[in-house]
């Protein structure tokens, strides 16, 4: 009878553990699995010992309690570490795209002071671009497109991350994208599809590196940056900081900032990025490069406008490079060493309005709007 009861309880524990484990996988909470299994096993063992009246002495109770307590404590380390990490701010936080959707009441889109000389009609150029570019081309849209709804997820004016935007351009789903220069793999994919990227510079931006605001390192040389990302400099004390290892974060391949980092490194080999397993979707596990989290020993990178205007995280500080701060003035005069252009990119669209739209963007009128949004124009006016 006792054996049957134990079998029944075992099956019950196994069943409910399986359901909870499946739910945790669906929600990406794999860090709780070990703790779940430890708790399930502990419950079954306690039930068995009680049923068999095994706890007859105080010593047995102490031994079992200690073993279970230690096991639960060890199994709790992963969830505690996860929640500690998640409590830290991320610089690559997602913005509220709806806040920049054109013609929406009380949006954050920068307005032209006067009516633009260009007023487009159908067929409207289909646009897409990097997240950091959305406030800019949303301003172009409000200035030159007819007033109507342009949902950022399904309209003539969409917003994606850089890899998706380039893919949408290659597949012909959009006419123009606004982004940093393409990666080598994106260029090759275009060539395979018989396409060539036509890139029109429309503004300048600073590629910036940042650290925790309590890090006393405020400046690095370009060579030190390269050595850090090559894995040759591994401790902050090597560059005048505290005795702490450097946690140098990277971004996913083909993203605009990762491509810029790779170009900056030149012939210097880029070290393998810190990575973590991240649960996604229906329990699938993908291997994804970590987003920057504000560890006190970390260094990350992005573009100036995104970090200062869109995210505005006060827990970080932007580094000077070779003694030059990444200000708009230093981008404009060319003294900041990591300044790059961003582009309106096409692949030979047959939309008749695309050329006049891009021509307007690089005109004094369009470049004035680039300045007003917060970027540095590529043309003086």
């Amino acid at each position: 009878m006792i054996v049957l009861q134990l079998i029944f309880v075992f099956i019950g524990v196994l069943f409910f553990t399986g359901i909870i484990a499946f739910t945790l996988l669906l929600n990406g909470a794999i860090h709780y699995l070990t703790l779940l299994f430890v708790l399930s096993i502990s419950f079954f063992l306690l039930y068995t010992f009680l049923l068999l009246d095994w706890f007859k002495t105080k010593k047995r109770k102490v031994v079992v309690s200690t073993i279970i307590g230690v096991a639960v404590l060890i199994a709790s380390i992963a969830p505690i570490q996860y929640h500690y990490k998640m409590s830290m701010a991320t610089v690559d936080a997602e913005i509220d795209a709806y806040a920049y959707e054109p013609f929406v009441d009380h949006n954050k889109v920068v307005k032209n002071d006067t009516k633009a000389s260009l007023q487009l009609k159908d067929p409207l150029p289909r646009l897409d671009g990097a997240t950091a570019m959305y406030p800019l081309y949303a301003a172009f849209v409000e200035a030159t497109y007819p007033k109507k709804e342009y949902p950022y997820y399904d309209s003539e004016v969409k917003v994606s991350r850089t890899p998706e935007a380039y893919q949408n351009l290659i597949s012909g789903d959009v006419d123009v994208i606004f982004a940093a220069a393409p990666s080598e793999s994106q260029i090759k994919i275009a060539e395979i599809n018989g396409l060539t990227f036509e890139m029109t510079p429309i503004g300048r931006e600073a590629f910036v590196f940042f650290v925790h605001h309590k890090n006393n390192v405020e400046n690095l040389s370009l060579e030190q940056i390269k050595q850090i990302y090559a894995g040759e400099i591994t401790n902050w004390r090597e560059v005048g900081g505290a005795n702490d290892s450097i946690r140098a974060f990277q971004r996913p391949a083909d993203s605009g900032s990762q491509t810029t980092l790779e170009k900056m490194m030149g012939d210097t080999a880029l070290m393998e990025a810190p990575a973590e397993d991240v649960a996604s979707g229906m329990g699938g596990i993908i291997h994804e490069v970590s987003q920057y989290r504000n560890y006190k020993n970390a260094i990350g990178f992005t573009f100036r406008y995104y970090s200062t205007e869109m995210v505005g995280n006060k827990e970080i500080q932007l580094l000077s490079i070779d003694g030059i701060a990444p200000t708009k003035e230093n981008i404009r005069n060319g003294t900041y060493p990591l300044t790059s252009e961003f582009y309106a990119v096409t692949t030979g669209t047959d939309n008749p309005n695309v050329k006049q739209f891009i021509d307007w963007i690089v005109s004094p009128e369009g470049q004035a709007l680039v300045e007003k949004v917060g970027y540095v124009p590529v043309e003086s006016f």
Side-chain angles (χ1 to χ4, degrees):
M1 184 67 181
I2 291 178
V3 173
L4 290 176
Q5 191 172 347
L6 288 176
I7 292 174
F8 177 78
V9 171
F10 177 77
I11 293 173
V13 170
L14 195 63
F15 176 76
F16 284 108
T17 300
I19 291 177
I20 297 173
F22 182 71
T23 303
L24 291 175
L25 287 172
L26 285 178
N27 289 279
I30 58 172
H31 40 275
Y32 285 107
L33 289 178
T34 300
L35 180 59
L36 171 65
F37 293 136
V38 168
L39 290 174
S40 297
I41 293 170
S42 298
F43 173 80
F44 179 72
L45 289 176
L46 284 174
Y47 184 87
T48 301
F49 291 152
L50 288 171
L51 189 65
L52 297 175
D53 196 23
W54 191 76
F55 291 124
K56 292 181 178 180
T57 65
K58 183 178 180 180
K59 183 179 179 180
R60 290 182 177 182
K61 292 178 182 178
V62 171
V63 170
V64 172
S65 299
T66 301
I67 293 173
I68 291 177
V70 171
V72 170
L73 184 63
I74 293 173
S76 299
I77 292 175
I80 291 171
Q81 289 178 331
Y82 173 79
H83 285 289
Y84 170 71
K85 185 187 78 171
M86 294 303 291
S87 70
M88 295 183 177
T90 59
V91 173
D92 288 316
E94 291 301 317
I95 66 161
D96 179 10
Y98 180 76
Y100 295 93
E101 190 173 304
F103 301 113
V104 172
D105 290 340
H106 309 297
N107 64 18
K108 295 182 179 180
V109 177
V110 174
K111 321 293 181 186
N112 240 349
D113 294 329
T114 59
K115 186 175 181 179
S117 59
L118 175 66
Q119 296 298 310
L120 294 170
K121 297 181 181 180
D122 289 333
L124 297 172
R126 299 167 299 163
L127 311 180
D128 197 355
T131 306
M133 295 285 102
Y134 188 45
L136 181 59
Y137 64 88
F140 295 155
V141 169
E142 280 212 4
T144 63
Y145 277 47
K147 185 175 182 178
K148 64 174 186 177
E149 292 184 357
Y150 296 95
Y152 62 88
Y153 50 86
D154 184 24
S155 71
E156 297 98 326
V157 185
K158 297 190 293 187
V159 60
S160 305
R161 295 180 180 178
T162 300
E164 289 80 4
Y166 270 103
Q167 183 55 51
N168 288 338
L169 182 64
I170 291 170
S171 63
D173 294 331
V174 296
D175 300 308
V176 187
I177 67 169
F178 298 89
S183 66
E184 291 299 324
S185 65
Q186 287 162 340
I187 293 173
K188 289 179 181 178
I189 293 172
E191 291 174 348
I192 291 172
N193 285 270
L195 301 172
T196 301
F197 292 130
E198 299 173 9
M199 299 166 57
T200 304
I202 64 170
R204 294 190 180 95
E205 176 63 310
F207 186 56
V208 298
F209 290 84
F210 50 81
V211 295
H212 192 278
H213 73 286
K214 291 185 178 179
N215 193 324
N216 60 4
V217 174
E218 299 178 353
N219 175 76
L220 291 171
S221 68
L222 187 56
E223 184 58 33
Q224 286 173 328
I225 291 283
K226 290 182 179 180
Q227 289 178 314
I228 287 172
Y229 276 89
E232 296 170 5
I233 293 178
T234 59
N235 194 293
W236 283 110
R237 67 180 174 184
E238 298 176 62
V239 291
N243 182 16
D244 200 356
S245 60
I246 298 176
R247 191 174 183 131
F249 281 83
Q250 297 184 39
R251 297 290 292 125
D254 292 331
S255 66
S257 54
Q258 184 71 13
T259 298
T260 303
L261 176 71
E262 292 167 357
K263 291 179 179 178
M264 182 207 76
M265 295 293 290
D267 295 331
T268 304
L270 188 64
M271 70 176 177
E272 184 178 351
E276 62 185 357
D277 290 331
V278 180
S280 175
M282 297 295 290
I285 305 299
I286 61 172
H287 197 61
E288 180 180 275
V289 177
S290 303
Q291 284 192 332
Y292 173 89
R293 290 193 178 277
N294 209 17
Y295 297 100
K296 290 182 179 179
N297 65 334
I299 182 171
F301 55 82
T302 186
F303 292 103
R304 180 201 61 87
Y305 182 86
Y306 188 78
S307 64
T308 60
E309 302 293 334
M310 298 174 76
V311 177
N313 191 325
K314 293 182 174 59
E315 296 298 309
I316 65 168
Q317 61 175 338
L318 301 186
L319 295 174
S320 295
I321 304 297
D322 292 332
I324 308 297
T327 63
K328 287 182 68 175
E329 292 71 25
N330 291 335
I331 299 171
R332 196 187 314 276
N333 61 34
T335 57
Y336 181 72
L338 297 177
T339 299
S340 60
E341 294 175 328
F342 54 89
Y343 303 89
V345 188
T346 65
T347 53
T349 175
D350 57 3
N351 187 314
N353 286 321
V354 167
K355 183 178 186 306
Q356 59 177 329
F357 180 52
I358 294 178
D359 286 346
W360 177 84
I361 291 172
V362 296
S363 73
E365 192 176 336
Q367 289 293 286
L369 188 54
V370 171
E371 173 87 27
K372 190 174 182 181
V373 170
Y375 284 98
V376 176
V378 74
E379 300 286 350
S380 59
F381 55 92

